[in-house]
Structure formats: C-alpha cells, structure tokens
Amino acid sequence: MSNFGRHFQVVFDNSPVGMAILDSEGRFLYTNRALQRMFGYSKDELHARPFFEFLLPDDTEELTSQFAKIVEKENSHVRSESRYLPRDQHEAWARF
C-alpha cells in the first residue's frame, strides 16, 4: 500500500464524520465507525443492506438518480441533503 493509501485509511477510519465507500449497486464496501454510530448499526449489519434502504422513500428517488449518474460517469459526485432512518427510527438528516 502506498503512503497515500495508508494516510487515506487512517483518515477514513478515524474521521469524526460518517464516511462510506459504495459499490456500483449502492452496497457498502467500507464504512467508518462514525457512520456506524450515526446509523446505529454494526459494520456487518450495514454491509448486509444497500445504502438506499436507509433513506426515507421521498428522498430515495433523487439520490438514486444522482448515484446512477456517477456510475454511468455522467457526474463525479453527489451533493444532497437527505433524510435517513437510523436504527432508532427517528428521522435524521445527512449531507451526502
């Protein structure tokens, strides 16, 4: 692993900001502890479900549309404020 890769891993793992890397289908590949705490699920529980299952239905369509554009290489990033349901089922907001 390069120095950059090691530095990225340390920043990702220790960030106070919830972070995730998704595959092209929207499944979690990597999540950090901050995201796991934010959602209220363990790493294994998060990785067992697609990211979009955590969003409120009214917010899913817009974010999945933006995500598809990234996968199709029409966009390089998503910027959205969307609602999700953590384990405790109290609606929460996050910037994606």
Side-chain angles (χ1 to χ4, degrees), residues 1-9:
M1 182 183 291
S2 71
N3 279 340
F4 175 79
R6 281 189 284 274
H7 292 298
F8 177 81
Q9 187 73 47

Side-chain angles (χ1 to χ4, degrees), residues 1-21:
M1 182 183 291
S2 71
N3 279 340
F4 175 79
R6 281 189 284 274
H7 292 298
F8 177 81
Q9 187 73 47
V10 168
V11 169
F12 184 90
D13 289 342
N14 296 295
S15 175
V17 175
M19 299 172 71
I21 297 175

Side-chain angles (χ1 to χ4, degrees), residues 8 28 37 56 75 80-82 90 92:
F8 177 81
F28 292 104
R37 282 190 305 273
L56 266 66
N75 282 348
S80 172
E81 289 189 12
S82 301
H90 286 94

Side-chain angles (χ1 to χ4, degrees), residues 12-13 15-22 28 30-43 46-47 51 54 84 86 94 96:
F12 184 90
D13 289 342
S15 175
V17 175
M19 299 172 71
I21 297 175
L22 306 175
F28 292 104
Y30 304 100
T31 55
N32 68 357
R33 286 184 297 275
L35 187 85
Q36 294 160 20
R37 282 190 305 273
M38 194 171 109
F39 278 63
Y41 291 94
S42 71
K43 173 185 168 185
L46 282 175
H47 291 220
F51 166 72
F54 294 96
Y84 69 95
F96 299 103

Side-chain angles (χ1 to χ4, degrees), residues 73-92:
K73 299 188 182 350
E74 294 176 30
N75 282 348
S76 61
H77 67 281
V78 169
R79 186 157 291 155
S80 172
E81 289 189 12
S82 301
R83 296 166 298 161
Y84 69 95
L85 284 176
R87 181 185 292 277
D88 68 11
Q89 298 295 303
H90 286 94
E91 181 180 305

